[in-house]
């Protein structure tokens, strides 16, 4: 049976030329509809692309709103649990959503699976996966480091593998690769709504999916078939025109945007890229841009479906998904005239390569100004280590372009002056660059090929060349460069840029180098200029899948999941106590934090990752690197019971033992950075009741709510200055806690005087019930018993 249909590629807003309606004819079996069932992935053969349902839902919403929709809105609202009745107001409403899948990395999966186990449910309700990428420390090289990690983390891997088998969760063994690269290669598709327990989950936006980083408790909700709640995001549009050229790469797009919006400019919003420039960026390049959107606080980032995505889907053996996406292109592109809350316009043709840092990912420097800025700020010019790869920049195209630069240098007798580390994003990338000689070129250049894992990007780096406290500079193609993030050395000046610029700066060995204009001296003494880098977008011979590292979920009720009571790595969870119905009076201030306080400051990573499945043990890292406003020092606070100074976790434990409830006070954008929910679990475990700050990062605020803590913000940010570390704080009128109603706080100073201030919150009715029950998990159990 043959059909002819008319397919319209809708005109996107802000002037992109409309594409003519085309007539396309094709043959369809009489037994199969035009929207044939296509599996979401080769690993989820019984779960199919949801396009027909999504189209039905969005048609309902569109009639209600009666206006053009952005792409972000189409994907998000088409996943509403109740498209007919859901209140929809950007920046205000709380949406109840039905994500298509859940992804968890091993460090966060431990706590997520422990919470799921404690729920008593037999199996996950949506396709879910665990990816072992966070516990592999970079030390010697890929093979040796992987072998050591398997030995050291055997207990944790066995727990995750058996829990996955029992509860129906796919398991990717250590060495498979980084979660976000695996998702892009196997699971992401245009129109997907996915949540992942890692802040860089938005990487999947490079394939047109809304992929959102969350805490483990949110993942438990979705796996338990409970609608997932998200405050309706605003939409920031980034219109791209022109074409990338020369040394400018996709990474420079997000580095520039980060400089414009800063680390909190995207908070509460989805960043939606559109315009004719989109078609000039590779699919993996779009992934890079979306990945690092986490650094500006964005809920997630997204690109419209186009040919570059279709090409990548075909190259990764998903031509059937590309074909279906093309049929639903109207669902996967924005409507003409769709309204954005803010619009940024960027001409790719004039965009200059950027390097951002140090100590924050939004301090943006065009490469032409980097050297001068570094000299002016007295940053170390010598580049000690260059690092390429990670979940942000480890595509075949990235590696090929770096190898091209390395070859140019070696032809002139030069190699990397800096130490040079290479992190393949996945086993598929590793196997393909090995086959095509790219890895060998990078080794000959002076590089060390590390394991397919996060490694130095998240602090899993046994760095030997520098002593702690030594001032030095490193340059990476990673996404995050907070103080001590990569090597636990607060004196390391970490800069993020494209892998191409990392390679060039590693050859020069200095920040004061612009490869577009500065010449290098070859072994023969002659000066030369590096040519513009080039690399194939996709491998001409196709991808080599490498070793099979996947364990399919069995959902086996007979599978046993053991947690040794004596283990120092894993610990079954005990429910948090319920709210007693009384006001929280005379709360002691554990710490008043001064300045930046990321989740790294609240719950350090690096060597602490091994305790992610043991709440009591990992709580010994709480607030280790947060700056105490009372003395300007880290991990040194006064115990108000004894008058003695001590480490933050030790004082918190003393308070808990004595029955003293406490509060922490913080500054702007508190909890930015990683999604790790341990930064909320630890304060709750050690006796915290509320966190009072000037403003919160999105994921952390939600994590606090999930664990029964009160996340409160000063109605007047200047009230932060009224609070002294010696004060007591009472939160009163909590019986009347209600959405949108400020909480009254009474500050009792050491001299007996008091002040009254007001604190805002963003809790809705359901979230207030979490607080009353003691946690979202407690509330889930209460509902199940009814």
């Amino acid at each position: 049976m043959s059909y002819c249909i008319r397919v319209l590629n809708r005109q996107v807003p802000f002037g992109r030329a409309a594409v003519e309606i085309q007539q396309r004819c094709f043959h369809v079996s009489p037994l199969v509809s035009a929207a044939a069932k296509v599996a979401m992935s080769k690993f989820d053969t019984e779960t199919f692309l949801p396009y027909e349902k999504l189209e039905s839902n969005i048609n309902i919403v569109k009639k209600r709103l009666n206006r053009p929709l952005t792409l972000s809105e189409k994907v998000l609202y088409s996943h509403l649990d109740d498209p007919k009745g859901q209140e929809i107001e950007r920046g205000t409403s709380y949406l109840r959503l039905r994500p298509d899948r859940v992804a968890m990395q091993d460090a966060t999966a431990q706590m997520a699976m422990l919470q799921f186990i404690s729920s008593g449910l037999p199996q996950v309700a949506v396709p879910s996966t665990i990816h072992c990428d966070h516990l592999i420390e970079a030390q010697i090289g890929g093979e040796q480091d992987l072998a050591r990690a398997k030995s050291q983390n055997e207990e944790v891997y066995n727990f995750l593998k058996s829990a996955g088998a029992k509860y129906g969760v796919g398991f990717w063994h250590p060495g498979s690769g980084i979660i976000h690269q695996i998702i892009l290669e196997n699971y992401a598709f245009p129109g997907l709504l996915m949540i992942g327990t890692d802040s860089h989950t938005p990487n999947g936006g490079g394939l047109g999916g809304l992929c959102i980083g969350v805490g483990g408790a949110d993942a438990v909700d979705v796996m338990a078939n409970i609608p997932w709640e998200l405050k309706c995001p605003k939409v920031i549009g980034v219109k791209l025109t022109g074409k990338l050229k020369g040394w400018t790469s996709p990474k420079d797009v997000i580095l520039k945007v980060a400089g414009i919006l800063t680390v909190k400019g995207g908070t509460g919003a989805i960043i939606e890229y559109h315009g004719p420039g989109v078609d000039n960026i590779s699919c993996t390049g779009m992934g890079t841009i979306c990945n690092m959107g986490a650094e500006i606080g964005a809920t997630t980032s997204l690109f419209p479906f186009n040919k570059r995505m279709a090409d990548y889907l075909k190259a990764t053996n998903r031509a059937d998904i590309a074909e279906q996406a093309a049929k639903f292109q109207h669902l996967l592109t924005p409507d003409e005239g769709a309204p954005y809350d803010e619009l940024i316009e960027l001409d790719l043709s004039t965009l200059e390569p950027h390097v951002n840092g140090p100590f924050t990912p939004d301090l943006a420097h065009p490469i032409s100004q980097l050297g001068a800025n570094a000299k002016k700020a007295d940053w170390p010019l010598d580049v000690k280590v260059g690092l390429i790869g990670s979940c942000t920049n480890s595509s075949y195209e990235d590696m090929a372009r770096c190898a091209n630069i390395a070859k140019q240098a070696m032809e002139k007798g030069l190699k990397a002056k800096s130490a040079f580390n290479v992190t393949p994003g996945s086993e598929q990338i590793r196997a393909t660059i090995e086959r095509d000689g790219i890895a060998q070129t990078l080794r000959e250049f002076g590089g060390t090929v590390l394991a397919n894992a996060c490694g130095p990007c998240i602090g899993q780096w046994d760095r030997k060349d520098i002593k702690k406290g030594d001032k030095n500079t490193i340059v990476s193609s990673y996404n995050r460069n907070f103080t001590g993030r990569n090597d636990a050395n607060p004196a390391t000046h970490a800069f993020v840029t494209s892998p191409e610029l990392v390679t060039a700066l590693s050859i020069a060995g200095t920040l004061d180098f612009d490869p577009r204009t500065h010449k290098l001296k070859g072994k023969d003494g002659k000066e030369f200029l590096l040519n513009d880098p080039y690399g194939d977008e996709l491998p001409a011979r196709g991808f080599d899948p490498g070793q099979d590292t996947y364990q399919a979920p069995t959902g086996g009720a007979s599978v046993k999941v053991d947690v040794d009571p004596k283990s120092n790595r894993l610990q079954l969870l005990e429910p948090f106590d319920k709210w007693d119905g009384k006001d929280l009076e005379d709360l002691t201030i554990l710490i008043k934090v001064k300045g930046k306080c990321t989740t790294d400051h609240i719950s350090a990573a690096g060597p602490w990752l091994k305790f992610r499945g043991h709440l009591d043990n990992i709580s010994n890292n709480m607030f280790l690197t947060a700056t105490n406003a009372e003395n300007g020092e880290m991990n040194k606070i006064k115990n108000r019971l004894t008058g003695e100074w001590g480490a933050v976790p030790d004082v918190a434990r003393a308070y808990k033992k004595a029955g003293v409830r406490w509060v922490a006070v913080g500054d702007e954008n508190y909890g930015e950075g990683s999604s790790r929910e341990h930064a909320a679990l630890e304060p709750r475990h050690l006796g915290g009741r509320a966190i009072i700050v000037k403003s919160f990062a999105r994921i952390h605020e939600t994590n606090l709510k999930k664990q029964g803590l009160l996340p409160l913000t000063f109605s007047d940010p200047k009230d932060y200055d009224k609070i002294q570390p010696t004060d007591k704080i009472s939160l009163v009128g909590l019986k009347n806690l209600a959405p949108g109603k400020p909480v009254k706080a009474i500050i009792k100073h050491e001299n007996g005087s008091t002040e009254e201030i007001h604190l805002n919150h963003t809790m809705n009715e359901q979230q207030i019930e979490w607080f009353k029950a003691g946690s979202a998990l407690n509330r889930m159990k209460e509902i199940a018993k009814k």
Side-chain angles (χ1 to χ4, degrees), residues 374-451:
K375 291 172 185 175
K376 185 177 180 180
D378 193 29
W379 299 326
L381 288 178
D382 289 348
V383 177
K384 293 296 184 183
V385 188
L387 306 102
I388 65 168
S390 85
C391 64
T392 322
N393 274 112
S394 59
S395 68
Y396 185 85
E397 180 181 34
D398 291 330
M399 296 296 177
R401 283 168 67 90
C402 290
N404 174 263
I405 298 165
K407 276 185 176 180
Q408 292 185 52
M410 290 190 290
E411 286 171 358
K412 301 294 185 179
L414 301 183
K415 293 187 178 183
K417 279 187 181 178
S418 312
F420 193 72
N421 290 328
V422 181
T423 304
S426 68
E427 170 61 9
Q428 179 166 277
I429 291 294
R430 183 209 63 79
T432 306
I433 65 172
E434 287 286 2
R435 182 199 67 193
D436 292 354
I438 292 171
Q440 184 57 31
T441 296
L442 296 174
R443 287 193 191 96
E444 291 171 0
F445 176 67
T448 299
V449 179
L450 302 173

Side-chain angles (χ1 to χ4, degrees), residues 392-677:
T392 322
N393 274 112
S394 59
S395 68
Y396 185 85
E397 180 181 34
D398 291 330
M399 296 296 177
R401 283 168 67 90
C402 290
N404 174 263
I405 298 165
K407 276 185 176 180
Q408 292 185 52
M410 290 190 290
E411 286 171 358
K412 301 294 185 179
L414 301 183
K415 293 187 178 183
K417 279 187 181 178
S418 312
F420 193 72
N421 290 328
V422 181
T423 304
S426 68
E427 170 61 9
Q428 179 166 277
I429 291 294
R430 183 209 63 79
T432 306
I433 65 172
E434 287 286 2
R435 182 199 67 193
D436 292 354
I438 292 171
Q440 184 57 31
T441 296
L442 296 174
R443 287 193 191 96
E444 291 171 0
F445 176 67
T448 299
V449 179
L450 302 173
N452 313 322
C454 300
C457 185
I458 59 162
Q460 284 284 47
W461 185 15
D462 184 20
R463 189 179 178 192
K464 301 291 189 184
D465 64 303
I466 289 289
K467 293 179 181 177
K468 194 167 184 178
D470 285 356
K471 193 175 177 181
N472 74 102
T473 285
I474 65 173
V475 182
S476 80
S477 68
Y478 302 163
N479 43 40
R480 190 163 282 165
N481 62 339
F482 299 135
T483 303
R485 165 80 176 183
N486 303 123
D487 62 1
N489 181 5
T492 293
H493 293 55
F495 295 83
V496 291
T497 185
S498 67
E500 295 94 328
L501 275 188
V502 172
T503 308
L505 293 173
S506 297
I507 298 168
T510 177
L511 290 178
D512 190 18
F513 179 72
D514 182 346
R516 303 170 307 165
T517 56
H518 293 173
K519 292 183 178 181
L520 294 163
K521 185 175 287 187
K523 196 173 181 180
D524 59 4
K526 295 180 180 178
E527 291 188 332
F528 71 98
L529 196 67
L530 289 169
N531 294 324
D532 294 345
Y534 172 79
D536 287 334
E537 177 180 343
L538 297 165
R541 297 162 59 192
F543 284 106
D544 182 336
Q547 299 178 37
D548 184 3
T549 53
Y550 176 69
Q551 174 187 285
T554 59
S558 61
V559 177
K560 190 174 182 181
V561 180
D562 283 326
V563 176
D564 186 345
K566 298 178 183 178
S567 172
N568 70 348
R569 299 286 303 269
L570 297 165
Q571 179 187 48
L572 292 174
L573 296 174
E574 294 292 331
F576 291 132
D577 60 316
K578 293 182 63 172
W579 176 54
D580 61 9
K582 301 177 182 178
D583 287 339
L584 296 173
E585 297 185 337
D586 291 329
L587 295 171
T588 294
I589 297 172
L590 176 71
I591 183 172
K592 181 182 178 181
V593 178
K594 179 182 178 182
K596 187 184 282 284
C597 190
T598 70
T599 50
D600 281 306
H601 293 92
I602 307 167
S603 175
W608 292 95
L609 286 172
K610 60 179 174 285
F611 298 123
R612 284 287 183 88
H614 198 294
L615 179 55
D616 194 55
N617 281 348
I618 199 172
S619 293
N620 289 322
N621 76 356
M622 188 179 73
F623 287 118
L624 289 189
T625 57
T627 300
N628 181 9
E630 186 173 10
N631 57 8
E633 296 187 47
M634 293 187 293
N635 199 31
K636 187 177 181 181
I637 61 172
K638 184 172 280 190
N639 184 326
R640 304 301 166 186
L641 299 176
T642 66
E644 298 177 351
W645 294 88
V648 182
D650 295 341
V651 175
R653 287 187 186 279
Y655 288 166
K656 182 178 180 180
K657 187 175 181 180
V660 174
R661 298 180 297 184
W662 55 264
V663 62
V665 178
D667 214 317
E668 293 277 8
N669 206 28
Y670 179 92
E672 68 176 283
S674 170
S675 68
R676 69 191 63 150
E677 65 183 326

Side-chain angles (χ1 to χ4, degrees), residues 316-373:
T316 50
N317 300 313
R318 292 176 286 172
D320 52 349
I321 293 178
E323 184 179 342
Q324 284 299 305
K327 294 176 184 177
F328 288 87
Q329 183 125 3
H330 56 283
L331 184 65
L332 306 173
T333 50
D335 288 336
E336 181 180 358
Y340 294 102
D341 295 284
E342 184 178 346
L343 179 65
I344 296 169
E345 299 196 30
L346 210 56
D347 182 358
L348 301 180
S349 300
T350 60
L351 180 62
E352 186 174 343
H354 275 63
V355 180
N356 287 23
F359 308 126
T360 184
D362 59 348
L363 184 57
H365 314 277
I367 187 63
S368 60
Q369 300 173 26
L370 177 63
N373 291 349

Side-chain angles (χ1 to χ4, degrees), residues 18 88 99 107 131 135 146 235 267 269 442 512 546 571 588 686 688 730 735 741:
I88 302 172
H131 304 260
L135 301 179
L146 178 58
V235 186
T267 303
L442 296 174
D512 190 18
Q571 179 187 48
T588 294
L686 293 183
S730 295
K735 285 186 178 180
K741 183 179 181 181

Side-chain angles (χ1 to χ4, degrees), residues 22-65:
Q22 296 178 332
Q23 188 163 307
R24 186 180 299 171
C25 300
F26 56 93
H27 180 80
V28 179
S29 165
L31 300 178
V32 182
S33 70
K37 284 187 175 182
V38 173
M40 286 206 312
S41 85
K42 66 179 181 181
F43 304 109
D44 302 302
T45 56
E46 299 302 315
T47 309
F48 305 102
L49 292 178
Y51 289 147
E52 287 185 317
K53 180 181 179 182
L54 300 185
E55 185 172 47
S56 174
N57 286 350
I58 206 61
N59 286 340
I60 293 169
V61 172
K62 203 162 185 179
K63 286 179 182 177
R64 290 178 53 203
L65 297 181

